[in-house]
Amino acid sequence: MPIKLTGTTRLFLIIASLLGASGVALGAYASHGLAAWATLKEIEYFQLAVTYQLFHAVTLLGVCLLSLFITNAFLLASKIAFVLGVVLFSGSLYLYVLTGTKILGAITPIGGLCLIVAWLLITLSLLSHRNNAK
């Protein structure tokens, strides 16, 4: 019997899939296009952004799967924090490399903090879950 997806879980599965696809595309650009004009340090920043984006896209998929079995506000908050974290962390690094705007560096740690919070929210979700199976 298929598992029924909520609209919210479906939305976050779609977001995770798009983060994965765009992460692969940006990774290919980092490997082939950036070398024509970017410094080695900029390429390193870009690749770090790709790594975090891809890793957390897969993690978001995992949290969505977990939410099929556990339903609580902590998991929803975790999904939101993962998306915000990737957008702020990886997005600010992409924009820094592509535009050279250094002020974006101030946003990167906020994205990192969102990712830390997202992981901790998974922990809270599991700690607060009461297994009612007998």
Side-chain angles (χ1 to χ4, degrees):
M1 181 169 142
I3 296 173
K4 190 160 183 131
L5 293 178
T6 65
T8 303
T9 298
R10 184 174 181 273
L11 172 65
F12 280 103
L13 284 167
I14 290 168
I15 292 169
S17 300
L18 292 172
L19 287 173
S22 60
V24 171
L26 289 164
Y29 180 67
S31 295
H32 304 291
L34 280 181
W37 60 270
T39 67
L40 286 177
K41 194 65 171 169
E42 290 171 332
I43 293 170
E44 201 175 284
Y45 286 148
F46 204 92
Q47 288 176 330
L48 177 65
V50 168
T51 299
Y52 271 67
Q53 179 176 336
L54 288 172
F55 181 79
H56 288 97
V58 172
T59 303
L60 182 57
L61 286 173
V63 175
C64 288
L65 292 176
L66 180 60
S67 71
L68 296 175
F69 302 97
I70 297 174
T71 303
N72 60 41
F74 292 123
L75 277 185
L76 176 58
S78 176
K79 293 176 204 175
I80 293 167
F82 274 121
V83 173
L84 283 174
V86 169
V87 168
L88 295 174
F89 183 86
S90 296
S92 65
L93 288 175
Y94 295 139
L95 288 172
Y96 166 70
V97 171
L98 295 172
T99 68
T101 306
K102 294 186 188 270
I103 191 74
L104 294 169
I107 297 170
T108 309
I110 297 169
L113 182 61
C114 287
L115 293 171
I116 293 167
V117 167
W119 283 101
L120 293 173
L121 286 165
I122 295 171
T123 304
L124 287 173
S125 174
L126 293 168
L127 289 172
S128 70
H129 177 69
R130 302 287 179 248
N131 191 354
N132 294 327
K134 296 187 186 208

